[in-house]
Amino acid sequence: MPARLPDGIHCAADYSRLAAGAIDAPTLAYIDGGSGEDRTLAANRAAFGRLGLVPRLLPDLRGAQTRLSLLGQELAHPILLAPVAYQALAHPRAEIETARGAAAAEACMACSTLSSASLEEVAAHAGPQRWFQLYFQPQRAATLDLVRRAEAAGYTALVVTLDAAIQAPSLRALRAGFRMPAGLRAANLADYPPTPPKSPAPLPGASRIFQAATRDATTWADLDWLAAQTSLPLLVKGVLHPEDAGLALDHGAAGLVVSNHGGRTIDGAPASLSVLPSIRQAVGPGCPLLLDGGVRSGAGAFKAIALGADAVMVGRLQVHALAVAGALGVAHMIRLLREELELCMAATGCRTLADIHDGLIHRFHDY
Amino acid sequence: MPARLPDGIHCAADYSRLAAGAIDAPTLAYIDGGSGEDRTLAANRAAFGRLGLVPRLLPDLRGAQTRLSLLGQELAHPILLAPVAYQALAHPRAEIETARGAAAAEACMACSTLSSASLEEVAAHAGPQRWFQLYFQPQRAATLDLVRRAEAAGYTALVVTLDAAIQAPSLRALRAGFRMPAGLRAANLADYPPTPPKSPAPLPGASRIFQAATRDATTWADLDWLAAQTSLPLLVKGVLHPEDAGLALDHGAAGLVVSNHGGRTIDGAPASLSVLPSIRQAVGPGCPLLLDGGVRSGAGAFKAIALGADAVMVGRLQVHALAVAGALGVAHMIRLLREELELCMAATGCRTLADIHDGLIHRFHDY
Amino acid sequence: MPARLPDGIHCAADYSRLAAGAIDAPTLAYIDGGSGEDRTLAANRAAFGRLGLVPRLLPDLRGAQTRLSLLGQELAHPILLAPVAYQALAHPRAEIETARGAAAAEACMACSTLSSASLEEVAAHAGPQRWFQLYFQPQRAATLDLVRRAEAAGYTALVVTLDAAIQAPSLRALRAGFRMPAGLRAANLADYPPTPPKSPAPLPGASRIFQAATRDATTWADLDWLAAQTSLPLLVKGVLHPEDAGLALDHGAAGLVVSNHGGRTIDGAPASLSVLPSIRQAVGPGCPLLLDGGVRSGAGAFKAIALGADAVMVGRLQVHALAVAGALGVAHMIRLLREELELCMAATGCRTLADIHDGLIHRFHDY
Amino acid sequence: MPARLPDGIHCAADYSRLAAGAIDAPTLAYIDGGSGEDRTLAANRAAFGRLGLVPRLLPDLRGAQTRLSLLGQELAHPILLAPVAYQALAHPRAEIETARGAAAAEACMACSTLSSASLEEVAAHAGPQRWFQLYFQPQRAATLDLVRRAEAAGYTALVVTLDAAIQAPSLRALRAGFRMPAGLRAANLADYPPTPPKSPAPLPGASRIFQAATRDATTWADLDWLAAQTSLPLLVKGVLHPEDAGLALDHGAAGLVVSNHGGRTIDGAPASLSVLPSIRQAVGPGCPLLLDGGVRSGAGAFKAIALGADAVMVGRLQVHALAVAGALGVAHMIRLLREELELCMAATGCRTLADIHDGLIHRFHDY
């Protein structure tokens, strides 16, 4: 870790303010942009901005803490690192730094299938709370091999991302002239057969889009199959519709991540926070439920928990902190988020995460 | 067609971004402006911006396609070219280029009564899906002659525009100093008696406005007459009120186009998309219903279809693409719109246009 | 009248755009500013901006016209000139030019008690529709003399302004350094005893504000008295509350003007248009009801009539046109407003003012 | 007092416009900033901006006045000075000037526990209406000594601030580089044992935030104890939740101040004005209820009273006036606020504060 933190960091979100000094502009456009005109990206943030919280006087906060149990695992706090691909774009040691930062901040980290460092390297630097994010591979053998490697490396859950089949390009990245660096590699996939590109020239008369969306398409039966292969709990990531929440649980998921992939799938998708209450209502109180998309502060974590999440994941902020200050930045960013959450809990008189509820939320737009 | 597409086109709407480099400023002000202060023009766009769509996980998209049957005609996709007058303002070969582009993109095109090229020339370059847009002429003989020529040239429907009697001037065009070029001609009308101007000096004590609005005014009886003259299906364009939808069908229309003439009639008219649901409700599920006004993306087409349209028409975007890259630009723009629509269908799990429905729409302002 | 109209006038509101070239900045700040931070002024305009109108197809407009009968008087159209004080600030010939312009445009004009030209001079140049705006004077003798002079000069109604007792200063005018020119005179009041200033140093311990508001305060009994002195119909101007509407009618008013004095009384007062429906509801369908505040276009007149007004008055636009082009400007501005109104009527299929109703109004914010 | 008022003061809020010329930028950032991103600070202001008031015609204002009885004390008007710490940041003579200004304007002033001048010095310059704001001290002996001193110095009520335990830092102040001047002292606390810092390095594994929030935490039992020590009435300041209003009254409070500490506690707290009606409803009509947060005009005072407050407190405006023109500025600012309030009362026909009610409020956003 570097010797010291950067100046000018007063809150976790300040890492995003400093990111432009640490990442070249086209790459930052790729990291920060959403699909299309960034409407879903903006909606993710706006949904948090519409909410406030109602302070209480003289709460008894003795014994207050942020612990939670999730999938049978004990977490020190509900702030997790979302799976983010190709972190070599942000730091030469990529996910290895991220893992060290997460470990230092007692944060559970989800390593991406498309990590720049191999899942085994990441595991070697990660803390005990580490999850592996799985993309279904064209061949089941490759998928299964990833699962076995994750099990062997001590990952304790699989985050199965199901919303990445359809991704509209980011106009921000395109206009900034971003191109994936030639040397960028998904270390985990190096030994598998190369994936055929999803967008080749279509058959004459056929739709390029529909062709890509149907070739090697994942199905709910694939999720059934996966659940049968491993004893690791499966978290389905990308849920935005209550019916999909039910389908995922029916097909083997142990929990869900409400997510629009950080506004990177289709522009116009709802804000994660906007649909969260309907998802919680659909799955009932006991189902592990996480959210990502728009969390830039501990107050954001507080609001998501109040609206039904058990925990939150942070994506872009993770990359910004990584780029600005490596492992130390990641750890510091998480600690700031945690303290911001604690401040919200203290202000509203919540001694535990279970005390956080919708009645503490203030809706600015209702006034 | 030119040898290559312009750089920097990442989505259909990018043609509008490039139009300022291809059309002089006063002419672009005329093309882009609406009536008055552009409030209806802005409302057309804003109505789409308020809506999003809800992605679904792991849809089965095998066999997905965008075909539709409209007025007994089979269309490859629901993106049509709206009738736009005087396309020589945008390209020297005018509608001939447009027709070639539309044919290449399998798009139905509506040729304007006020086209710069004659309807026969346009037909010679157009694909099999071609409609003729008809303005009633002061003399029935001229109107009938246009119909007979359209029939002879293989046009398969008549789009009868009824909302052009009242057009408030565009302040944007006036302030930009736009004047119709002296040489601009409506090729189709060259052989008919000249139309008397609608806005001469009024009779003493009479209203210039009411005088112009009543002289040679079209009536519903004219539509009855027209329907009796031709076996071509009639689409009435310009409907914004449910009662007018019913009247048009009562007087011979086979379908309707919900339209405010691209915000060019009276400033303050509702956005087309805002009134679409009430029009669909008035005419029932079977009536062919199109919409124009504010469609700048395939997502826009998706939203209009979800709210009740069978298909959409694009006006300004057509002219922008024509100006930027001629027939190739028009074809490319349509293909981009179609792929953007397909992406929305794939994201929401719609295999056909009939699967698109209001339940897939997300209303950002409700959150 | 000047020989020609200024360039660049495409709609009535364009006179406001040109006013800065014809009036010095501090004076324009005084004319254009409202009280306080201009919130009511802005609300007046915004209330119109929220509304649109729904065009109809192929209306039968034969015989369409804009006439109305008001207080037993026949008006060619429902656009009146509001009383505006001290028009010498805008033009050296002041209300004399305004009166000539109004007469040329067949508009009823209301001459202010505080006119720069005497009511007799104004009457000499005005058309047959001329009303006199009356402020109660400290002495009843002076008030009565004004009434007698107005009767003698052929004024056909008295507009009794009751909302001017409380006027908060205009911060815009104060910040622009505006001061009333030393030579500015209220010609009508030259021969009456000087009015004691309303804001002297207060009695020790007394409120300067309350003292000014109670000394010589007008009462409803004064209105009773006035009604008994003259056969001219009385229009009470300044009504914003339904109860005040009823009180005014109970005390002798023949009609009302819904007005917040152009946003010049107390900042925070409602927009005139916002309260208009509640006032119409309170007074019933037969009561003559006018509105001023925020009308800058014929569409504004259309909307006010749709929401319950019989006619509208224009204030600032009158002064702008006067400053820009004298009597010719005033006449031109009124004609443009009238034609804009006619265009709205033609677009919505209204042959008479009585055909204008709330069902033709589109509320943009409901979509 | 200085010989003259500054130029350019047309309303009370103009003192805030001039403050930048009288206070250095980092200090002004500290004074003006709220916690976090200033969202609650902005909400405080916005809540007032959404409201207007409905003028009435020809009210009878004879005998109008602004007096009120509060906690058995007679006040000339309902505009009080909120407790503001460390006024030496704004003026070298600090609260002594403020006290002189308040006395001159017949305003009740609340002297802060953290005043730069001692409470005895302040009392020597204050008028008869003076309250003391009390922070519970770590030792009850110190707390009690403060109470005895306040009693001895003639303070007539204690304002017990209970919302300061949780204060998020002001990003505005941090980014401006503000640091508390080394010499800044809380004069009242000079003789008590030094307070241990609330944010030391936490115990290993413990939360810095929760540790600070629980050490020496005030409890409702402390309020009971305080009420038993003194006959001065207690006003609990910082109430935002109806349940806390009830708790405070149950534990000895004689009245409440609805407050979010000027947006300085936790960012996202509701605007004071937004929760005021729910607090009034909870405590019933008889309970003394004040509000601070966002009052910058007499219209603000009017609105707060209409929504349930008996009186209002001004914080930042007090400091701005102090910095700009010392005691004279403070007195002038209060007088302007009072006259602005009187103008609102006169416009709406309220002869007394008791006549101000919700029916006179106009809600702009409902139109």
Side-chain angles (χ1 to χ4, degrees):
Chain A
M1 296 196 191
R4 55 186 289 278
L5 291 170
D7 289 332
I9 300 287
H10 307 300
C11 61
D14 277 336
Y15 276 104
S16 296
R17 295 162 54 99
L18 296 190
I23 308 178
D24 66 276
T27 302
L28 190 58
Y30 170 73
I31 291 169
D32 284 0
S35 61
E37 298 282 4
D38 290 349
R39 292 183 52 228
T40 295
L41 182 78
N44 274 349
R45 303 292 301 275
F48 284 96
R50 282 191 287 270
L51 305 182
L53 41 88
V54 188
R56 297 300 305 267
L57 292 181
L58 308 187
D60 181 355
L61 292 166
R62 285 172 296 181
Q65 41 81 4
T66 60
R67 285 193 293 274
L68 73 159
S69 178
L70 201 62
L71 301 169
Q73 305 170 27
E74 301 302 311
L75 305 183
H77 57 80
I79 295 156
L80 288 79
L81 296 191
V84 178
Y86 301 122
Q87 299 193 10
L89 289 170
H91 193 285
R93 285 189 299 278
E95 295 82 4
I96 293 174
E97 289 287 301
T98 306
R100 294 172 60 210
E106 300 180 87
C108 178
M109 166 197 189
C111 176
S112 171
T113 289
L114 301 176
S115 56
S116 297
S118 73
L119 67 90
E120 288 83 4
E121 289 176 291
V122 174
H125 294 87
Q129 278 93 22
R130 52 182 186 266
W131 297 350
F132 183 70
Q133 179 270 334
L134 181 73
Y135 282 123
F136 279 100
Q137 299 299 306
Q139 286 93 354
R140 279 197 169 174
T143 304
L144 193 56
D145 190 62
L146 281 171
V147 172
R148 295 291 173 254
R149 288 168 60 192
E151 291 168 342
Y155 289 92
T156 57
L158 295 179
V159 179
V160 186
T161 303
L162 294 184
D163 64 2
I166 310 298
Q167 292 216 356
S170 161
L171 293 175
R172 195 196 301 192
L174 288 168
R175 288 172 186 159
F178 174 75
R179 278 187 178 70
M180 279 287 180
L184 206 64
R185 292 285 178 273
N188 295 324
L189 309 180
D191 295 336
Y192 304 139
T195 310
K198 280 241 169 183
S199 300
L203 300 179
S207 155
R208 191 172 64 98
I209 301 294
F210 288 139
Q211 203 166 327
T214 51
R215 191 181 48 228
D216 305 323
T218 303
T219 67
W220 291 112
D222 291 320
L223 192 66
D224 288 323
W225 168 83
L226 178 64
Q229 304 303 315
T230 180
S231 60
L232 292 181
L234 306 183
L235 281 163
V236 163
K237 181 165 178 285
V239 178
L240 293 173
H241 195 291
E243 290 182 19
D244 285 336
L247 284 166
L249 296 178
D250 291 346
H251 290 279
L256 307 173
V257 185
V258 178
S259 172
N260 51 36
H261 216 114
R264 297 174 93 93
T265 59
I266 188 109
D267 203 22
S272 304
L273 192 68
S274 295
V275 299
L276 173 62
S278 68
I279 305 291
R280 172 52 82 192
Q281 178 155 27
V283 301
C287 176
L289 193 58
L290 288 85
L291 172 139
D292 78 358
V295 177
R296 299 289 190 282
S297 68
F302 182 92
K303 295 169 189 175
I305 294 168
L307 267 60
D310 292 304
V312 298
M313 294 183 135
V314 293
R316 286 182 181 83
L317 202 44
Q318 169 192 173
V319 182
H320 295 157
L322 173 64
V324 169
L328 184 62
V330 171
H332 184 219
M333 179 275 296
I334 297 169
R335 183 162 66 82
L336 287 169
L337 285 179
R338 180 181 178 171
E339 290 190 356
E340 291 162 8
L341 167 62
E342 291 171 349
L343 207 60
C344 292
M345 294 174 67
T348 56
C350 296
R351 293 198 316 119
T352 70
L353 300 181
D355 293 336
I356 302 174
H357 64 93
D358 187 78
L360 299 169
I361 295 298
H362 178 72
R363 287 169 169 83
F364 283 109
H365 287 227
D366 288 353
Y367 292 90
Chain B
M1 294 197 191
R4 53 185 292 277
L5 292 171
D7 290 332
I9 300 287
H10 307 299
C11 61
D14 277 335
Y15 276 103
S16 296
R17 296 161 55 99
L18 296 190
I23 307 178
D24 66 277
T27 302
L28 190 58
Y30 171 73
I31 291 168
D32 283 1
S35 61
E37 298 282 4
D38 290 348
R39 292 184 51 228
T40 295
L41 182 78
N44 274 348
R45 304 291 302 272
F48 284 96
R50 282 191 288 270
L51 304 182
L53 40 89
V54 187
R56 297 300 306 266
L57 292 180
L58 307 186
D60 181 356
L61 293 167
R62 286 173 295 182
Q65 41 82 4
T66 59
R67 285 193 293 274
L68 73 158
S69 178
L70 202 61
L71 301 170
Q73 305 171 26
E74 300 303 311
L75 305 185
H77 57 80
I79 295 156
L80 288 79
L81 297 191
V84 177
Y86 300 121
Q87 298 194 10
L89 289 170
H91 194 286
R93 284 188 301 278
E95 294 83 5
I96 292 175
E97 288 288 298
T98 306
R100 294 172 60 210
E106 300 181 88
C108 178
M109 166 197 189
C111 175
S112 171
T113 289
L114 301 176
S115 56
S116 297
S118 73
L119 65 91
E120 289 82 4
E121 289 175 291
V122 173
H125 294 86
Q129 277 93 22
R130 53 182 186 268
W131 296 350
F132 183 70
Q133 179 270 334
L134 181 73
Y135 281 124
F136 278 99
Q137 299 299 306
Q139 286 93 354
R140 279 197 169 173
T143 303
L144 193 57
D145 190 62
L146 282 170
V147 172
R148 295 290 172 254
R149 289 168 60 191
E151 291 167 344
Y155 289 92
T156 58
L158 295 179
V159 179
V160 187
T161 304
L162 294 184
D163 64 1
I166 310 297
Q167 292 215 357
S170 161
L171 294 175
R172 195 196 301 191
L174 287 169
R175 289 172 186 160
F178 173 74
R179 280 189 176 68
M180 280 286 179
L184 207 65
R185 291 285 178 274
N188 295 324
L189 309 181
D191 295 336
Y192 304 139
T195 310
K198 279 240 171 185
S199 301
L203 300 179
S207 155
R208 192 172 63 97
I209 302 293
F210 289 138
Q211 201 166 330
T214 50
R215 191 180 49 228
D216 305 322
T218 303
T219 67
W220 290 111
D222 291 319
L223 192 66
D224 288 322
W225 168 82
L226 178 64
Q229 305 302 317
T230 181
S231 60
L232 293 181
L234 306 184
L235 281 163
V236 163
K237 181 163 179 284
V239 178
L240 292 174
H241 194 292
E243 290 183 18
D244 285 335
L247 284 166
L249 297 178
D250 290 346
H251 290 278
L256 307 173
V257 184
V258 177
S259 171
N260 50 37
H261 215 112
R264 297 173 94 92
T265 58
I266 188 108
D267 203 22
S272 304
L273 191 68
S274 295
V275 299
L276 173 61
S278 69
I279 305 291
R280 171 53 81 193
Q281 178 154 26
V283 300
C287 175
L289 194 57
L290 289 86
L291 171 138
D292 77 358
V295 176
R296 299 288 191 283
S297 69
F302 182 93
K303 294 169 190 175
I305 294 168
L307 267 60
D310 293 304
V312 298
M313 294 183 135
V314 293
R316 286 182 180 81
L317 203 43
Q318 169 192 172
V319 182
H320 296 157
L322 172 64
V324 169
L328 184 62
V330 171
H332 184 219
M333 180 274 296
I334 296 169
R335 183 163 67 83
L336 288 169
L337 285 179
R338 180 180 177 173
E339 291 190 357
E340 291 162 7
L341 168 61
E342 290 172 350
L343 206 60
C344 291
M345 293 173 67
T348 55
C350 296
R351 293 198 317 117
T352 70
L353 299 181
D355 292 337
I356 302 174
H357 64 93
D358 187 77
L360 299 169
I361 295 297
H362 178 73
R363 287 170 169 81
F364 283 109
H365 287 227
D366 288 353
Y367 292 89
Chain C
M1 295 195 191
R4 53 186 291 279
L5 292 171
D7 289 332
I9 300 288
H10 307 299
C11 61
D14 277 335
Y15 276 103
S16 296
R17 295 161 55 98
L18 297 191
I23 308 178
D24 67 278
T27 302
L28 189 58
Y30 170 72
I31 292 168
D32 283 1
S35 62
E37 298 282 3
D38 290 347
R39 292 182 53 229
T40 295
L41 183 78
N44 274 348
R45 303 292 301 273
F48 284 96
R50 282 192 289 270
L51 304 182
L53 40 90
V54 188
R56 297 300 305 268
L57 293 180
L58 308 186
D60 181 355
L61 292 166
R62 285 172 295 181
Q65 40 83 2
T66 59
R67 286 193 292 275
L68 74 158
S69 178
L70 201 61
L71 301 170
Q73 306 170 27
E74 301 303 310
L75 305 184
H77 58 79
I79 295 156
L80 288 79
L81 297 191
V84 177
Y86 301 121
Q87 298 194 11
L89 289 169
H91 193 285
R93 283 187 301 278
E95 294 83 5
I96 292 174
E97 289 288 299
T98 305
R100 292 173 60 208
E106 301 179 87
C108 178
M109 165 196 190
C111 175
S112 170
T113 289
L114 301 176
S115 54
S116 297
S118 73
L119 68 92
E120 288 83 4
E121 288 175 293
V122 173
H125 295 86
Q129 277 92 22
R130 53 183 185 264
W131 296 350
F132 182 69
Q133 178 271 335
L134 181 72
Y135 281 124
F136 278 100
Q137 300 299 307
Q139 286 92 353
R140 279 196 169 174
T143 304
L144 192 57
D145 190 62
L146 283 171
V147 172
R148 294 290 172 255
R149 288 169 58 192
E151 291 168 343
Y155 290 93
T156 58
L158 295 179
V159 179
V160 186
T161 303
L162 294 183
D163 64 1
I166 309 297
Q167 293 215 356
S170 162
L171 293 175
R172 194 196 300 191
L174 288 167
R175 288 171 187 161
F178 173 76
R179 278 187 177 70
M180 279 287 179
L184 206 64
R185 291 285 177 272
N188 295 324
L189 309 181
D191 295 336
Y192 305 139
T195 310
K198 278 238 172 186
S199 302
L203 301 179
S207 154
R208 190 173 63 98
I209 302 294
F210 290 138
Q211 203 166 330
T214 49
R215 192 181 46 230
D216 305 321
T218 303
T219 67
W220 291 112
D222 291 319
L223 192 65
D224 288 321
W225 167 82
L226 178 64
Q229 305 303 316
T230 181
S231 59
L232 292 181
L234 306 184
L235 281 163
V236 163
K237 180 163 179 283
V239 178
L240 292 173
H241 195 291
E243 290 183 19
D244 285 334
L247 284 165
L249 296 178
D250 290 346
H251 290 279
L256 306 173
V257 185
V258 177
S259 172
N260 50 37
H261 215 111
R264 298 174 93 93
T265 59
I266 189 110
D267 203 21
S272 304
L273 191 68
S274 295
V275 298
L276 172 62
S278 69
I279 304 292
R280 170 54 80 192
Q281 178 154 26
V283 300
C287 176
L289 193 58
L290 288 86
L291 171 138
D292 77 358
V295 178
R296 298 289 191 282
S297 67
F302 182 92
K303 295 169 190 175
I305 294 169
L307 266 61
D310 292 304
V312 298
M313 293 182 136
V314 294
R316 287 182 180 81
L317 202 43
Q318 167 192 172
V319 182
H320 296 156
L322 172 65
V324 169
L328 184 63
V330 171
H332 185 218
M333 179 276 295
I334 296 169
R335 181 163 67 82
L336 287 170
L337 285 179
R338 180 180 178 172
E339 290 190 354
E340 292 163 7
L341 168 62
E342 290 171 348
L343 206 61
C344 291
M345 293 173 67
T348 56
C350 296
R351 293 198 315 119
T352 69
L353 299 181
D355 292 336
I356 302 174
H357 64 92
D358 187 77
L360 299 169
I361 294 298
H362 178 72
R363 287 170 169 80
F364 283 108
H365 287 227
D366 287 354
Y367 293 87
Chain D
M1 296 196 190
R4 54 185 291 279
L5 292 171
D7 289 333
I9 301 287
H10 307 298
C11 61
D14 277 335
Y15 276 103
S16 296
R17 296 161 54 100
L18 297 191
I23 307 178
D24 67 277
T27 302
L28 190 59
Y30 171 72
I31 291 169
D32 283 1
S35 62
E37 298 282 3
D38 290 348
R39 291 183 53 228
T40 295
L41 182 78
N44 274 348
R45 303 292 301 273
F48 284 96
R50 282 192 287 270
L51 304 182
L53 40 89
V54 188
R56 297 301 307 268
L57 293 179
L58 307 187
D60 180 355
L61 293 167
R62 284 171 296 179
Q65 40 83 2
T66 60
R67 286 193 292 274
L68 73 158
S69 177
L70 201 61
L71 301 170
Q73 305 170 27
E74 302 302 311
L75 304 184
H77 58 78
I79 296 156
L80 288 78
L81 297 191
V84 177
Y86 301 122
Q87 298 193 11
L89 289 170
H91 193 287
R93 283 187 302 277
E95 295 83 5
I96 292 174
E97 290 288 301
T98 306
R100 293 172 60 209
E106 300 180 87
C108 178
M109 166 196 190
C111 176
S112 171
T113 288
L114 301 176
S115 55
S116 297
S118 73
L119 66 92
E120 289 83 4
E121 289 174 292
V122 173
H125 295 87
Q129 277 93 22
R130 53 184 186 264
W131 296 350
F132 183 69
Q133 179 271 335
L134 181 73
Y135 281 124
F136 278 100
Q137 299 299 306
Q139 285 94 353
R140 279 197 169 174
T143 304
L144 193 56
D145 191 61
L146 282 171
V147 172
R148 294 291 172 255
R149 289 169 58 193
E151 292 167 343
Y155 290 92
T156 58
L158 295 178
V159 179
V160 187
T161 304
L162 294 183
D163 65 1
I166 310 298
Q167 292 216 355
S170 162
L171 293 175
R172 194 196 301 190
L174 288 167
R175 289 172 186 159
F178 173 75
R179 279 188 177 70
M180 280 284 179
L184 206 64
R185 291 285 178 275
N188 294 325
L189 310 180
D191 296 336
Y192 305 139
T195 311
K198 278 241 170 183
S199 301
L203 299 179
S207 154
R208 189 173 64 96
I209 302 293
F210 290 137
Q211 202 165 330
T214 50
R215 191 180 49 228
D216 306 323
T218 303
T219 67
W220 292 112
D222 291 320
L223 192 64
D224 288 322
W225 168 82
L226 178 63
Q229 303 304 315
T230 181
S231 60
L232 292 181
L234 306 184
L235 281 162
V236 164
K237 181 164 179 284
V239 177
L240 293 173
H241 195 291
E243 289 182 20
D244 284 337
L247 283 166
L249 297 178
D250 289 346
H251 290 280
L256 307 173
V257 184
V258 177
S259 172
N260 51 36
H261 215 111
R264 297 174 93 92
T265 59
I266 188 108
D267 203 22
S272 304
L273 191 68
S274 295
V275 299
L276 173 61
S278 68
I279 304 291
R280 171 53 80 191
Q281 177 155 28
V283 300
C287 176
L289 193 58
L290 288 85
L291 172 139
D292 78 359
V295 177
R296 298 289 190 282
S297 68
F302 182 92
K303 295 169 190 174
I305 294 169
L307 268 60
D310 292 305
V312 298
M313 293 182 136
V314 294
R316 286 181 180 83
L317 202 44
Q318 167 192 172
V319 182
H320 296 156
L322 172 64
V324 168
L328 183 62
V330 171
H332 185 217
M333 179 275 295
I334 297 169
R335 182 163 67 85
L336 287 169
L337 286 178
R338 180 181 177 172
E339 290 190 356
E340 291 162 7
L341 167 62
E342 290 172 348
L343 206 59
C344 292
M345 294 173 66
T348 56
C350 296
R351 292 198 317 118
T352 70
L353 299 181
D355 292 336
I356 302 175
H357 64 93
D358 187 77
L360 299 170
I361 295 297
H362 178 73
R363 287 170 169 82
F364 284 108
H365 287 227
D366 289 354
Y367 293 88

